[in-house]
Amino acid sequence: MGSRIVGTGRATPRTLLSNNDMRRLVDTSDEWIRTRTGIGTRFLIRSDESLVEIAAEASCRALERAGLKASALDAIVVGTVSSDYAFPSFACQLQHRMGLDLIPAFDVSAACSGFIYAVSVADSAMRAAEYSRVLVVGADALSTMLDWADRRTSVLFGDGAGAIVMVSEPGPSGVLGSLLRSSGQYWNLLSVKATGVRCTVDAEQRRAPGDAIQMRGPELFRIAVRCMEEVTRSVVERAGLQLEDVSLVIPHQANLRIINAVAERLGLSPDKVFTNVERYGNTSAASVPIALDEALEQNRIHAGDVLLLNACGGGLTWGANLVRW
Ligand code: ACO
C-alpha cells in the first residue's frame, strides 16, 4: 500500500515587502539581494496574524482540492520550527483550529527540510497501514526570529504555509521513495535559540542579536549544494530510475544560486526545475509545498510525471521525496 498526493494548498501572510521596502530596515539594495539570492519580494507575518490560521487556510484549500472533509483525516503531520509554543505542538494547535479531535497530530522538526521529512514520515506510516488519509503541512515564520538589523539574514526569509492531503492507495502513482539525511556536526551553520520574543516586522519588541537567527552563509551555501546534489542522485537511483526520468524538480526555495548550482551539477535544464523564490524568499518548511501548489496551478505537472522534491536546512538536515503524479 503506497500513498498518493490528492490535494494541495498554500497561504501567506497579507504583507508583501519588496527589496526596496527592505531598505527601510537595513542597509541593502534590490540589486544586491537579486544578484546574490534571486529574491525580489517576501510575505512577512505581522503581530496580529497567526501562522496557525495561515496553515489552516492552506490545509482547507488542500482538502477542498482533494474533495475531502477535514473529518475524513486520520492524522496531521506538520513540518515546522515556528510554533509559538514549545508545547502543545503546532500540529495540535492546527488540529483544534480545524475543529478536529482525537486523530494523532504531531510536528517534525527539521527546519527547511521539515516538509520533506514530514512527507516521508506520513508515507511510511501509510505503508504500515496505520493511516489512510493524512494532512501534511509545511509552515514557518522565520521572520519572527530575525535580527532586523542583520542584513546578512533579514533579507532572505519569508513566511507562509503549504499543505497536501495524502491518501493510501495501491497502484503505480504516489510516493516512490524518500531519503532523509542529517549531520549534527554542522548544527551551528544555521541556528536560532528557542528563546526571545516573537519579533514580527511591525513589533516594537526586538530579539537580542544573540537570540536571533545565526547563519554562516558562505559555508552553508557550499554544503547545501553538495547535499542537495547527492540526495537527489541517491533517491532516484534507489527507486531504480534515472535522472532523465524526472519530469520536474521542485527544490527548497532558499536561494536561486543554490538551485541553479545544483541543477547544473545534475545536468538538469532550467525548464525541469521549478522556482518561485523571487516572490516568496526562503519560507523554510513551507517552500516546497507552496512551490508544488504553484507548479500545479501553472500546469507544470501532468498525470504520470515523476516529481522530485528536495530540501536542505538547519541541523543540518536534508532529504528528497520522489513522487509519481
Ligand atoms: N545587502 C547588501 N550587502 C550585503 C547584504 C545585504 N543584504 N548582506 C551581506 N552584504 C555584504 C556583506 O556585508 C559583505 O560585505 P563585506 O565584504 O564588505 O563585509 C558582502 O556583502 C559579501 O557578503 P557575504 O556574506 O560573503 O555574501 P555572499 O556572496 O556569500 O552571499 C548569501 C551571502 C546570499 C547569504 C550566501 O552566502 C548564501 O546564499 N548562503 C546560503 C544561505 C542560505 O540560503 N540560507 C538559507 C537557509 S539554508 C538553506 O535553506 C539551504
PDB file of all heavy atoms in Angstrom, residues 26-29 32-33 36-37 112 151-152 155-157 190 215 217-218 220-221 224 252 254-255 257-258 282 312-314, ligand 1:
ATOM      1  N   VAL A  26      17.200  47.834   6.674  1.00  0.00           N
ATOM      2  CA  VAL A  26      18.647  47.565   6.684  1.00  0.00           C
ATOM      3  C   VAL A  26      19.328  48.219   5.493  1.00  0.00           C
ATOM      4  O   VAL A  26      18.689  48.549   4.491  1.00  0.00           O
ATOM      5  CB  VAL A  26      18.974  46.042   6.635  1.00  0.00           C
ATOM      6  CG1 VAL A  26      18.826  45.389   7.969  1.00  0.00           C
ATOM      7  CG2 VAL A  26      18.191  45.330   5.563  1.00  0.00           C
ATOM      8  N   ASP A  27      20.646  48.350   5.602  1.00  0.00           N
ATOM      9  CA  ASP A  27      21.445  48.946   4.536  1.00  0.00           C
ATOM     10  C   ASP A  27      21.652  47.893   3.439  1.00  0.00           C
ATOM     11  O   ASP A  27      22.548  47.049   3.534  1.00  0.00           O
ATOM     12  CB  ASP A  27      22.789  49.392   5.148  1.00  0.00           C
ATOM     13  CG  ASP A  27      23.717  49.944   4.089  1.00  0.00           C
ATOM     14  OD1 ASP A  27      23.234  50.289   2.995  1.00  0.00           O
ATOM     15  OD2 ASP A  27      24.928  50.002   4.360  1.00  0.00           O
ATOM     16  N   THR A  28      20.773  47.909   2.438  1.00  0.00           N
ATOM     17  CA  THR A  28      20.846  46.891   1.381  1.00  0.00           C
ATOM     18  C   THR A  28      20.359  47.510   0.070  1.00  0.00           C
ATOM     19  O   THR A  28      20.049  48.699   0.010  1.00  0.00           O
ATOM     20  CB  THR A  28      20.011  45.649   1.775  1.00  0.00           C
ATOM     21  OG1 THR A  28      20.265  44.618   0.839  1.00  0.00           O
ATOM     22  CG2 THR A  28      18.515  45.936   1.811  1.00  0.00           C
ATOM     23  N   SER A  29      20.297  46.714  -0.969  1.00  0.00           N
ATOM     24  CA  SER A  29      19.784  47.214  -2.246  1.00  0.00           C
ATOM     25  C   SER A  29      19.090  46.079  -2.979  1.00  0.00           C
ATOM     26  O   SER A  29      19.397  44.903  -2.775  1.00  0.00           O
ATOM     27  CB  SER A  29      20.933  47.748  -3.105  1.00  0.00           C
ATOM     28  OG  SER A  29      21.757  46.672  -3.501  1.00  0.00           O
ATOM     29  N   TRP A  32      21.700  44.024  -4.874  1.00  0.00           N
ATOM     30  CA  TRP A  32      22.475  43.045  -4.089  1.00  0.00           C
ATOM     31  C   TRP A  32      21.620  41.804  -3.822  1.00  0.00           C
ATOM     32  O   TRP A  32      22.045  40.678  -4.037  1.00  0.00           O
ATOM     33  CB  TRP A  32      22.954  43.646  -2.751  1.00  0.00           C
ATOM     34  CG  TRP A  32      23.985  42.768  -2.057  1.00  0.00           C
ATOM     35  CD1 TRP A  32      25.340  42.908  -2.117  1.00  0.00           C
ATOM     36  CD2 TRP A  32      23.737  41.598  -1.258  1.00  0.00           C
ATOM     37  NE1 TRP A  32      25.957  41.904  -1.403  1.00  0.00           N
ATOM     38  CE2 TRP A  32      24.991  41.073  -0.860  1.00  0.00           C
ATOM     39  CE3 TRP A  32      22.602  40.916  -0.828  1.00  0.00           C
ATOM     40  CZ2 TRP A  32      25.148  39.941  -0.062  1.00  0.00           C
ATOM     41  CZ3 TRP A  32      22.743  39.774  -0.039  1.00  0.00           C
ATOM     42  CH2 TRP A  32      23.999  39.303   0.330  1.00  0.00           C
ATOM     43  N   ILE A  33      20.401  42.031  -3.363  1.00  0.00           N
ATOM     44  CA  ILE A  33      19.565  40.890  -2.974  1.00  0.00           C
ATOM     45  C   ILE A  33      19.247  40.025  -4.198  1.00  0.00           C
ATOM     46  O   ILE A  33      19.353  38.795  -4.147  1.00  0.00           O
ATOM     47  CB  ILE A  33      18.257  41.347  -2.284  1.00  0.00           C
ATOM     48  CG1 ILE A  33      18.569  42.187  -1.049  1.00  0.00           C
ATOM     49  CG2 ILE A  33      17.410  40.145  -1.878  1.00  0.00           C
ATOM     50  CD1 ILE A  33      17.353  42.856  -0.407  1.00  0.00           C
ATOM     51  N   ARG A  36      22.519  38.114  -5.461  1.00  0.00           N
ATOM     52  CA  ARG A  36      23.044  37.085  -4.546  1.00  0.00           C
ATOM     53  C   ARG A  36      22.060  35.986  -4.226  1.00  0.00           C
ATOM     54  O   ARG A  36      22.452  34.903  -3.833  1.00  0.00           O
ATOM     55  CB  ARG A  36      23.480  37.717  -3.213  1.00  0.00           C
ATOM     56  CG  ARG A  36      24.482  38.825  -3.306  1.00  0.00           C
ATOM     57  CD  ARG A  36      25.835  38.302  -3.719  1.00  0.00           C
ATOM     58  NE  ARG A  36      26.749  39.405  -3.937  1.00  0.00           N
ATOM     59  CZ  ARG A  36      27.891  39.575  -3.299  1.00  0.00           C
ATOM     60  NH1 ARG A  36      28.282  38.679  -2.422  1.00  0.00           N
ATOM     61  NH2 ARG A  36      28.644  40.606  -3.556  1.00  0.00           N
ATOM     62  N   THR A  37      20.743  36.320  -4.338  1.00  0.00           N
ATOM     63  CA  THR A  37      19.763  35.326  -3.855  1.00  0.00           C
ATOM     64  C   THR A  37      18.628  35.030  -4.841  1.00  0.00           C
ATOM     65  O   THR A  37      17.966  34.011  -4.703  1.00  0.00           O
ATOM     66  CB  THR A  37      19.082  35.819  -2.555  1.00  0.00           C
ATOM     67  OG1 THR A  37      18.216  36.911  -2.879  1.00  0.00           O
ATOM     68  CG2 THR A  37      20.090  36.266  -1.517  1.00  0.00           C
ATOM     69  N   CYS A 112      14.340  23.815   7.336  1.00  0.00           N
ATOM     70  CA  CYS A 112      13.867  23.951   5.938  1.00  0.00           C
ATOM     71  C   CYS A 112      13.522  22.613   5.304  1.00  0.00           C
ATOM     72  O   CYS A 112      12.805  22.568   4.303  1.00  0.00           O
ATOM     73  CB  CYS A 112      14.918  24.657   5.094  1.00  0.00           C
ATOM     74  SG  CYS A 112      15.271  26.322   5.661  1.00  0.00           S
ATOM     75  N   ARG A 151      21.737  42.526   8.046  1.00  0.00           N
ATOM     76  CA  ARG A 151      21.382  42.462   6.619  1.00  0.00           C
ATOM     77  C   ARG A 151      21.755  41.138   5.972  1.00  0.00           C
ATOM     78  O   ARG A 151      21.261  40.803   4.914  1.00  0.00           O
ATOM     79  CB  ARG A 151      22.025  43.620   5.866  1.00  0.00           C
ATOM     80  CG  ARG A 151      23.532  43.597   5.826  1.00  0.00           C
ATOM     81  CD  ARG A 151      24.042  44.793   5.064  1.00  0.00           C
ATOM     82  NE  ARG A 151      25.492  44.741   4.925  1.00  0.00           N
ATOM     83  CZ  ARG A 151      26.172  45.581   4.194  1.00  0.00           C
ATOM     84  NH1 ARG A 151      25.555  46.528   3.534  1.00  0.00           N
ATOM     85  NH2 ARG A 151      27.486  45.476   4.116  1.00  0.00           N
ATOM     86  N   ARG A 152      22.672  40.401   6.618  1.00  0.00           N
ATOM     87  CA  ARG A 152      23.071  39.103   6.044  1.00  0.00           C
ATOM     88  C   ARG A 152      21.956  38.067   6.134  1.00  0.00           C
ATOM     89  O   ARG A 152      21.961  37.096   5.392  1.00  0.00           O
ATOM     90  CB  ARG A 152      24.311  38.559   6.750  1.00  0.00           C
ATOM     91  CG  ARG A 152      25.565  39.328   6.396  1.00  0.00           C
ATOM     92  CD  ARG A 152      26.733  38.836   7.242  1.00  0.00           C
ATOM     93  NE  ARG A 152      27.848  39.759   7.107  1.00  0.00           N
ATOM     94  CZ  ARG A 152      28.901  39.536   6.345  1.00  0.00           C
ATOM     95  NH1 ARG A 152      28.998  38.436   5.652  1.00  0.00           N
ATOM     96  NH2 ARG A 152      29.868  40.429   6.270  1.00  0.00           N
ATOM     97  N   VAL A 155      17.168  39.763   4.903  1.00  0.00           N
ATOM     98  CA  VAL A 155      16.596  39.886   3.554  1.00  0.00           C
ATOM     99  C   VAL A 155      16.205  38.527   2.954  1.00  0.00           C
ATOM    100  O   VAL A 155      15.583  38.474   1.900  1.00  0.00           O
ATOM    101  CB  VAL A 155      17.591  40.590   2.597  1.00  0.00           C
ATOM    102  CG1 VAL A 155      17.955  41.974   3.123  1.00  0.00           C
ATOM    103  CG2 VAL A 155      18.848  39.762   2.370  1.00  0.00           C
ATOM    104  N   LEU A 156      16.591  37.439   3.630  1.00  0.00           N
ATOM    105  CA  LEU A 156      16.478  36.120   2.986  1.00  0.00           C
ATOM    106  C   LEU A 156      15.129  35.426   3.183  1.00  0.00           C
ATOM    107  O   LEU A 156      14.730  34.611   2.358  1.00  0.00           O
ATOM    108  CB  LEU A 156      17.560  35.168   3.535  1.00  0.00           C
ATOM    109  CG  LEU A 156      19.017  35.599   3.378  1.00  0.00           C
ATOM    110  CD1 LEU A 156      19.928  34.553   4.028  1.00  0.00           C
ATOM    111  CD2 LEU A 156      19.369  35.758   1.908  1.00  0.00           C
ATOM    112  N   PHE A 157      14.473  35.721   4.310  1.00  0.00           N
ATOM    113  CA  PHE A 157      13.359  34.849   4.709  1.00  0.00           C
ATOM    114  C   PHE A 157      11.975  35.468   4.479  1.00  0.00           C
ATOM    115  O   PHE A 157      11.806  36.683   4.553  1.00  0.00           O
ATOM    116  CB  PHE A 157      13.507  34.453   6.179  1.00  0.00           C
ATOM    117  CG  PHE A 157      14.761  33.667   6.438  1.00  0.00           C
ATOM    118  CD1 PHE A 157      15.913  34.286   6.926  1.00  0.00           C
ATOM    119  CD2 PHE A 157      14.814  32.312   6.139  1.00  0.00           C
ATOM    120  CE1 PHE A 157      17.081  33.559   7.140  1.00  0.00           C
ATOM    121  CE2 PHE A 157      15.978  31.581   6.348  1.00  0.00           C
ATOM    122  CZ  PHE A 157      17.112  32.202   6.854  1.00  0.00           C
ATOM    123  N   LEU A 190      23.474  27.183  10.812  1.00  0.00           N
ATOM    124  CA  LEU A 190      22.207  27.926  10.789  1.00  0.00           C
ATOM    125  C   LEU A 190      21.443  27.533  12.040  1.00  0.00           C
ATOM    126  O   LEU A 190      21.046  26.377  12.185  1.00  0.00           O
ATOM    127  CB  LEU A 190      21.409  27.550   9.530  1.00  0.00           C
ATOM    128  CG  LEU A 190      20.093  28.293   9.320  1.00  0.00           C
ATOM    129  CD1 LEU A 190      20.297  29.793   9.210  1.00  0.00           C
ATOM    130  CD2 LEU A 190      19.388  27.791   8.070  1.00  0.00           C
ATOM    131  N   MET A 215      23.723  32.663  11.122  1.00  0.00           N
ATOM    132  CA  MET A 215      23.970  31.890   9.901  1.00  0.00           C
ATOM    133  C   MET A 215      25.381  32.108   9.379  1.00  0.00           C
ATOM    134  O   MET A 215      25.862  33.238   9.353  1.00  0.00           O
ATOM    135  CB  MET A 215      22.965  32.320   8.827  1.00  0.00           C
ATOM    136  CG  MET A 215      23.040  31.472   7.580  1.00  0.00           C
ATOM    137  SD  MET A 215      21.846  31.991   6.344  1.00  0.00           S
ATOM    138  CE  MET A 215      22.694  33.410   5.705  1.00  0.00           C
ATOM    139  N   GLY A 217      26.636  31.924   6.151  1.00  0.00           N
ATOM    140  CA  GLY A 217      26.084  31.827   4.805  1.00  0.00           C
ATOM    141  C   GLY A 217      26.975  31.150   3.767  1.00  0.00           C
ATOM    142  O   GLY A 217      26.541  30.191   3.109  1.00  0.00           O
ATOM    143  N   PRO A 218      28.217  31.617   3.593  1.00  0.00           N
ATOM    144  CA  PRO A 218      29.035  31.035   2.525  1.00  0.00           C
ATOM    145  C   PRO A 218      29.301  29.532   2.717  1.00  0.00           C
ATOM    146  O   PRO A 218      29.234  28.765   1.759  1.00  0.00           O
ATOM    147  CB  PRO A 218      30.330  31.856   2.599  1.00  0.00           C
ATOM    148  CG  PRO A 218      29.894  33.168   3.189  1.00  0.00           C
ATOM    149  CD  PRO A 218      28.807  32.836   4.158  1.00  0.00           C
ATOM    150  N   LEU A 220      27.408  27.436   4.405  1.00  0.00           N
ATOM    151  CA  LEU A 220      26.109  26.782   4.212  1.00  0.00           C
ATOM    152  C   LEU A 220      25.827  26.605   2.723  1.00  0.00           C
ATOM    153  O   LEU A 220      25.345  25.553   2.286  1.00  0.00           O
ATOM    154  CB  LEU A 220      25.043  27.676   4.853  1.00  0.00           C
ATOM    155  CG  LEU A 220      23.646  27.120   5.026  1.00  0.00           C
ATOM    156  CD1 LEU A 220      23.674  25.783   5.740  1.00  0.00           C
ATOM    157  CD2 LEU A 220      22.794  28.104   5.817  1.00  0.00           C
ATOM    158  N   PHE A 221      26.138  27.618   1.982  1.00  0.00           N
ATOM    159  CA  PHE A 221      25.924  27.583   0.528  1.00  0.00           C
ATOM    160  C   PHE A 221      26.642  26.381  -0.091  1.00  0.00           C
ATOM    161  O   PHE A 221      26.051  25.571  -0.799  1.00  0.00           O
ATOM    162  CB  PHE A 221      26.464  28.898  -0.074  1.00  0.00           C
ATOM    163  CG  PHE A 221      26.136  29.079  -1.522  1.00  0.00           C
ATOM    164  CD1 PHE A 221      25.163  29.990  -1.912  1.00  0.00           C
ATOM    165  CD2 PHE A 221      26.783  28.355  -2.512  1.00  0.00           C
ATOM    166  CE1 PHE A 221      24.848  30.166  -3.250  1.00  0.00           C
ATOM    167  CE2 PHE A 221      26.469  28.521  -3.850  1.00  0.00           C
ATOM    168  CZ  PHE A 221      25.501  29.433  -4.220  1.00  0.00           C
ATOM    169  N   ALA A 224      25.173  23.019   1.192  1.00  0.00           N
ATOM    170  CA  ALA A 224      23.801  22.809   0.693  1.00  0.00           C
ATOM    171  C   ALA A 224      23.836  22.295  -0.746  1.00  0.00           C
ATOM    172  O   ALA A 224      23.111  21.359  -1.105  1.00  0.00           O
ATOM    173  CB  ALA A 224      22.999  24.106   0.774  1.00  0.00           C
ATOM    174  N   HIS A 252      13.701  23.130  -2.536  1.00  0.00           N
ATOM    175  CA  HIS A 252      13.553  24.143  -1.489  1.00  0.00           C
ATOM    176  C   HIS A 252      14.027  25.480  -2.058  1.00  0.00           C
ATOM    177  O   HIS A 252      15.092  25.562  -2.662  1.00  0.00           O
ATOM    178  CB  HIS A 252      14.398  23.745  -0.281  1.00  0.00           C
ATOM    179  CG  HIS A 252      14.502  24.823   0.743  1.00  0.00           C
ATOM    180  ND1 HIS A 252      13.410  25.560   1.155  1.00  0.00           N
ATOM    181  CD2 HIS A 252      15.564  25.314   1.431  1.00  0.00           C
ATOM    182  CE1 HIS A 252      13.801  26.441   2.059  1.00  0.00           C
ATOM    183  NE2 HIS A 252      15.098  26.317   2.242  1.00  0.00           N
ATOM    184  N   ALA A 254      15.546  28.388  -1.291  1.00  0.00           N
ATOM    185  CA  ALA A 254      16.345  29.195  -0.365  1.00  0.00           C
ATOM    186  C   ALA A 254      17.022  30.329  -1.110  1.00  0.00           C
ATOM    187  O   ALA A 254      17.111  31.450  -0.616  1.00  0.00           O
ATOM    188  CB  ALA A 254      17.392  28.340   0.314  1.00  0.00           C
ATOM    189  N   ASN A 255      17.499  30.005  -2.301  1.00  0.00           N
ATOM    190  CA  ASN A 255      18.396  30.926  -2.978  1.00  0.00           C
ATOM    191  C   ASN A 255      18.549  30.433  -4.415  1.00  0.00           C
ATOM    192  O   ASN A 255      18.862  29.264  -4.647  1.00  0.00           O
ATOM    193  CB  ASN A 255      19.736  30.856  -2.220  1.00  0.00           C
ATOM    194  CG  ASN A 255      20.790  31.750  -2.813  1.00  0.00           C
ATOM    195  OD1 ASN A 255      20.956  31.802  -4.023  1.00  0.00           O
ATOM    196  ND2 ASN A 255      21.510  32.430  -1.945  1.00  0.00           N
ATOM    197  N   ARG A 257      20.789  30.940  -6.531  1.00  0.00           N
ATOM    198  CA  ARG A 257      22.150  30.480  -6.894  1.00  0.00           C
ATOM    199  C   ARG A 257      22.367  29.041  -6.423  1.00  0.00           C
ATOM    200  O   ARG A 257      23.040  28.270  -7.090  1.00  0.00           O
ATOM    201  CB  ARG A 257      23.204  31.413  -6.288  1.00  0.00           C
ATOM    202  CG  ARG A 257      23.338  32.708  -7.084  1.00  0.00           C
ATOM    203  CD  ARG A 257      24.034  33.778  -6.288  1.00  0.00           C
ATOM    204  NE  ARG A 257      25.369  33.398  -5.870  1.00  0.00           N
ATOM    205  CZ  ARG A 257      25.905  33.701  -4.682  1.00  0.00           C
ATOM    206  NH1 ARG A 257      25.198  34.348  -3.777  1.00  0.00           N
ATOM    207  NH2 ARG A 257      27.124  33.352  -4.398  1.00  0.00           N
ATOM    208  N   ILE A 258      21.804  28.678  -5.275  1.00  0.00           N
ATOM    209  CA  ILE A 258      21.915  27.282  -4.814  1.00  0.00           C
ATOM    210  C   ILE A 258      21.148  26.386  -5.786  1.00  0.00           C
ATOM    211  O   ILE A 258      21.653  25.359  -6.245  1.00  0.00           O
ATOM    212  CB  ILE A 258      21.361  27.100  -3.378  1.00  0.00           C
ATOM    213  CG1 ILE A 258      22.189  27.889  -2.369  1.00  0.00           C
ATOM    214  CG2 ILE A 258      21.304  25.616  -2.995  1.00  0.00           C
ATOM    215  CD1 ILE A 258      21.734  27.757  -0.910  1.00  0.00           C
ATOM    216  N   ASN A 282      12.884  32.740   1.203  1.00  0.00           N
ATOM    217  CA  ASN A 282      13.016  31.402   1.798  1.00  0.00           C
ATOM    218  C   ASN A 282      11.961  31.234   2.891  1.00  0.00           C
ATOM    219  O   ASN A 282      12.080  31.816   3.977  1.00  0.00           O
ATOM    220  CB  ASN A 282      14.429  31.260   2.368  1.00  0.00           C
ATOM    221  CG  ASN A 282      14.667  29.909   3.034  1.00  0.00           C
ATOM    222  OD1 ASN A 282      13.721  29.136   3.235  1.00  0.00           O
ATOM    223  ND2 ASN A 282      15.905  29.641   3.384  1.00  0.00           N
ATOM    224  N   CYS A 312      17.241  21.345   1.939  1.00  0.00           N
ATOM    225  CA  CYS A 312      18.380  21.291   2.868  1.00  0.00           C
ATOM    226  C   CYS A 312      18.193  22.442   3.837  1.00  0.00           C
ATOM    227  O   CYS A 312      17.765  23.526   3.433  1.00  0.00           O
ATOM    228  CB  CYS A 312      19.666  21.460   2.071  1.00  0.00           C
ATOM    229  SG  CYS A 312      21.132  21.643   3.090  1.00  0.00           S
ATOM    230  N   GLY A 313      18.469  22.220   5.105  1.00  0.00           N
ATOM    231  CA  GLY A 313      18.275  23.307   6.057  1.00  0.00           C
ATOM    232  C   GLY A 313      19.007  23.071   7.368  1.00  0.00           C
ATOM    233  O   GLY A 313      19.805  22.132   7.491  1.00  0.00           O
ATOM    234  N   GLY A 314      18.717  23.919   8.338  1.00  0.00           N
ATOM    235  CA  GLY A 314      19.391  23.871   9.636  1.00  0.00           C
ATOM    236  C   GLY A 314      19.349  22.474  10.242  1.00  0.00           C
ATOM    237  O   GLY A 314      18.379  21.745  10.099  1.00  0.00           O
TER     238      GLY A 314
HETATM  239  N1  ACO B   1      22.793  43.886   1.297  1.00  0.00           N
HETATM  240  C1  ACO B   1      23.938  44.427   0.934  1.00  0.00           C
HETATM  241  N2  ACO B   1      25.152  43.921   1.232  1.00  0.00           N
HETATM  242  C2  ACO B   1      25.157  42.781   1.961  1.00  0.00           C
HETATM  243  C3  ACO B   1      23.984  42.155   2.397  1.00  0.00           C
HETATM  244  C4  ACO B   1      22.764  42.751   2.043  1.00  0.00           C
HETATM  245  N3  ACO B   1      21.583  42.238   2.391  1.00  0.00           N
HETATM  246  N4  ACO B   1      24.325  41.049   3.092  1.00  0.00           N
HETATM  247  C5  ACO B   1      25.654  40.970   3.095  1.00  0.00           C
HETATM  248  N5  ACO B   1      26.178  42.026   2.416  1.00  0.00           N
HETATM  249  C6  ACO B   1      27.573  42.328   2.184  1.00  0.00           C
HETATM  250  C7  ACO B   1      28.421  41.803   3.307  1.00  0.00           C
HETATM  251  O1  ACO B   1      28.465  42.753   4.372  1.00  0.00           O
HETATM  252  C8  ACO B   1      29.739  41.620   2.622  1.00  0.00           C
HETATM  253  O2  ACO B   1      30.406  42.864   2.553  1.00  0.00           O
HETATM  254  P1  ACO B   1      31.866  42.983   3.207  1.00  0.00           P
HETATM  255  O3  ACO B   1      32.686  42.008   2.406  1.00  0.00           O
HETATM  256  O4  ACO B   1      32.157  44.414   2.971  1.00  0.00           O
HETATM  257  O5  ACO B   1      31.673  42.581   4.627  1.00  0.00           O
HETATM  258  C9  ACO B   1      29.378  41.242   1.193  1.00  0.00           C
HETATM  259  O6  ACO B   1      28.007  41.640   1.028  1.00  0.00           O
HETATM  260  C10 ACO B   1      29.511  39.770   0.921  1.00  0.00           C
HETATM  261  O7  ACO B   1      28.927  39.063   1.996  1.00  0.00           O
HETATM  262  P2  ACO B   1      28.859  37.504   2.000  1.00  0.00           P
HETATM  263  O8  ACO B   1      28.070  37.022   3.188  1.00  0.00           O
HETATM  264  O9  ACO B   1      30.220  36.942   1.771  1.00  0.00           O
HETATM  265  O10 ACO B   1      27.995  37.290   0.663  1.00  0.00           O
HETATM  266  P3  ACO B   1      27.773  36.016  -0.187  1.00  0.00           P
HETATM  267  O11 ACO B   1      28.126  36.308  -1.582  1.00  0.00           O
HETATM  268  O12 ACO B   1      28.312  34.782   0.458  1.00  0.00           O
HETATM  269  O13 ACO B   1      26.187  35.920  -0.145  1.00  0.00           O
HETATM  270  C11 ACO B   1      24.437  34.756   0.997  1.00  0.00           C
HETATM  271  C12 ACO B   1      25.515  35.816   1.086  1.00  0.00           C
HETATM  272  C13 ACO B   1      23.417  35.204  -0.030  1.00  0.00           C
HETATM  273  C14 ACO B   1      23.769  34.667   2.349  1.00  0.00           C
HETATM  274  C15 ACO B   1      25.082  33.422   0.564  1.00  0.00           C
HETATM  275  O14 ACO B   1      26.170  33.118   1.371  1.00  0.00           O
HETATM  276  C16 ACO B   1      24.099  32.312   0.636  1.00  0.00           C
HETATM  277  O15 ACO B   1      23.171  32.276  -0.148  1.00  0.00           O
HETATM  278  N6  ACO B   1      24.281  31.360   1.557  1.00  0.00           N
HETATM  279  C17 ACO B   1      23.327  30.313   1.756  1.00  0.00           C
HETATM  280  C18 ACO B   1      22.455  30.801   2.857  1.00  0.00           C
HETATM  281  C19 ACO B   1      21.047  30.381   2.744  1.00  0.00           C
HETATM  282  O16 ACO B   1      20.481  30.183   1.672  1.00  0.00           O
HETATM  283  N7  ACO B   1      20.438  30.252   3.888  1.00  0.00           N
HETATM  284  C20 ACO B   1      19.090  29.904   3.941  1.00  0.00           C
HETATM  285  C21 ACO B   1      18.874  28.753   4.807  1.00  0.00           C
HETATM  286  S1  ACO B   1      19.814  27.376   4.382  1.00  0.00           S
HETATM  287  C22 ACO B   1      19.012  26.632   3.267  1.00  0.00           C
HETATM  288  O17 ACO B   1      17.836  26.812   3.205  1.00  0.00           O
HETATM  289  C23 ACO B   1      19.706  25.801   2.296  1.00  0.00           C
END
